[in-house]
Amino acid sequence: MTDNGDSTLENMRTQMDRAQEYAQVTENVFRRLKHPERTLEVSLPMLLDNGEERVFKGYRCQFGGARGPYKGGVRYHPSVSMDEVIALAGLMSFKNALVKLPYGGAKGGVVCNTKDLSRDEIKRITRRYTEGIRRMIGPKMDIPAPDMNTGPREMAWMMDTYSVYEGYTIPEVVTGKPVELGGTPGRVEATGRGVAIITEKILEYHGRSPDDATVAIQGYGNVGSWAGRLLAERGANIVATSDVTGGIYNPDGIDTHEVATQIENGGQIADYDGECDRISNDDLLRLDVDVLIPAAVSHVITQDVAEELRADIVVEAANGPTTPDADDVLVERDVPAVPDILANAGGVIVSYLEWVQNTQEYRWTLEEVNADLERRLSDAFDEMMDAYADYETPDLRTAAFTLALDQQATAHAQRGLFP
Ligand code: GLU
């Protein structure tokens, strides 16, 4: 158990407790919704390129499956732990319920640092991991997808490994695949597009628009970099970003495409040679900007950061970036924070659209996918704002969790308890 994973789970349960008084959920169902339904730990022996054998650890957790098959990503990161995977699976169950996808929650992960591994080593880990969890996943059971440090390449390997065991090709067992293998146009940028849509919506709600907004984005991986590029397209001035090597700041704006290209080609923010000041990740969080977008790891907005940050609005692109103590400070300081379970739901929404296309053996256009994504996110945003006003919840997160709990509670009530 790591502190990180442990506190992510505790934080999620605190977020649930805060919503309980507004939600129509019985005590029995509420208690059940706090625990995963199934968690698997697998040992993955793997031959390194240098001939040595190493055993990696992997997990898959399924959480809150009353509304449909389990769904959620697979991350490769040194900080992956069973508790973190459980917490992130729980967050997925609330995310899917909030945006009304017919899914429960899931998350998986392998404890590894992809920076130290070759492409072939990552392939062998991915195949071995898929073999390890293959009795638990399936197109009607549990559908993995990309998360931190995984993408279309890993999804292709997962799909292939699963299909080899089943004896025929089953594209719909994972989403986020390459387009040529049944992936959908728009999936790669979907989470970032969702963040951009939600940022525009929250700015509009406050009578503002992206073209008069400055934005700082912590983390410039898939989610952060697409959010940056798509917000810049909507007129926003992206003034700062960062990765683990540090941050860059330019009040006149950074070139979001140039930085993205550098990162996509394996570069680091520390090596960026465009015009900018060097800042730390901590400085970035405290910049005087209109919108702060944490798009990296969990728990970065702590109580201290919440007291000192100068952004008018926070939009959570990462999973679990704000601690409950920090939420209290943000409420006190009247800084709205759009919760992760809405702000980063674009990825799983487009995963759902990919799965629907696969199961129908039909292809949509990019325009159709993007229009559907925008409609679903806008509706969910409007519902969250209505719940915030009607129930007078202290913050947007509590409103979002209340709606998600209501969806889950209804499914449980309708299905009843077995036996
Ligand atoms: N890993 C993403 C998330 O945290 C996407 C999951 C999916 O597409 O199933 O929402």
Side-chain angles (χ1 to χ4, degrees), residues 71-73 92 95 107 143 145-147 175 187 319 344 347-348 351:
K71 181 96 190 77
M92 281 308 302
K95 191 185 301 185
K107 190 72 80 175
I143 305 114
D147 199 89
T175 57
R187 176 61 184 88
N319 285 314
N344 71 27
V348 71
S351 273

Side-chain angles (χ1 to χ4, degrees), residues 225-401:
S225 72
W226 277 109
R229 282 175 275 186
L230 295 167
L231 274 168
E233 248 174 46
R234 288 165 196 243
N237 184 15
I238 315 299
V239 296
T241 192
S242 65
D243 67 7
V244 282
T245 65
I248 50 177
Y249 172 62
N250 182 345
D252 297 327
I254 58 168
D255 186 330
T256 52
H257 285 273
E258 202 177 288
V259 183
T261 308
Q262 179 173 332
I263 302 272
E264 280 164 9
N265 291 331
Q268 297 178 323
I269 292 284
D271 305 327
Y272 182 68
D273 54 14
E275 199 175 312
C276 62
D277 293 334
R278 302 279 151 190
I279 56 171
S280 69
N281 266 290
D282 247 24
D283 299 334
L284 182 142
L285 295 171
R286 292 169 172 80
L287 284 176
D288 189 3
V289 286
D290 298 311
V291 184
L292 171 64
I293 302 183
V297 288
S298 306
H299 307 152
V300 291
I301 304 186
T302 56
Q303 194 174 0
D304 290 351
V305 174
E307 271 157 13
E308 289 164 20
L309 65 75
R310 285 180 290 163
D312 295 340
I313 293 170
V314 176
V315 177
E316 296 184 343
N319 285 314
T322 311
T323 65
D325 289 353
D327 270 334
D328 291 340
V329 176
L330 294 179
V331 168
E332 223 169 85
R333 294 189 55 206
D334 211 13
V335 179
V338 184
D340 46 6
I341 59 170
L342 178 66
N344 71 27
V348 71
I349 290 175
V350 176
S351 273
Y352 166 67
L353 302 179
E354 178 174 329
W355 182 75
V356 167
Q357 292 172 72
N358 291 161
T359 53
Q360 297 178 351
E361 299 181 23
Y362 191 70
R363 265 291 161 86
W364 295 6
T365 63
L366 176 61
E367 291 68 33
E368 286 170 315
V369 169
N370 284 346
D372 197 304
L373 166 65
E374 183 130 14
R375 180 178 57 75
R376 284 172 192 274
L377 270 182
S378 296
D379 289 353
F381 177 87
D382 294 344
E383 273 180 45
M384 179 186 72
M385 297 317 295
D386 287 347
Y388 176 59
D390 294 347
Y391 301 146
E392 297 179 14
T393 59
D395 55 15
L396 301 180
R397 190 186 318 283
T398 309
F401 266 82

Side-chain angles (χ1 to χ4, degrees), residues 47-53 121 124:
L47 206 56
L48 298 173
D49 291 344
N50 66 8
E52 267 174 46
E53 193 183 304
E121 288 169 335
R124 289 199 287 277

Side-chain angles (χ1 to χ4, degrees), residues 55 101 111 118 140 165 202 223 228 246 262 278-279 283 311 337 384:
V55 182
L101 300 179
V111 188
S118 70
K140 293 203 162 35
Y165 278 103
I202 189 76
V223 179
Q262 179 173 332
R278 302 279 151 190
I279 56 171
D283 299 334
M384 179 186 72

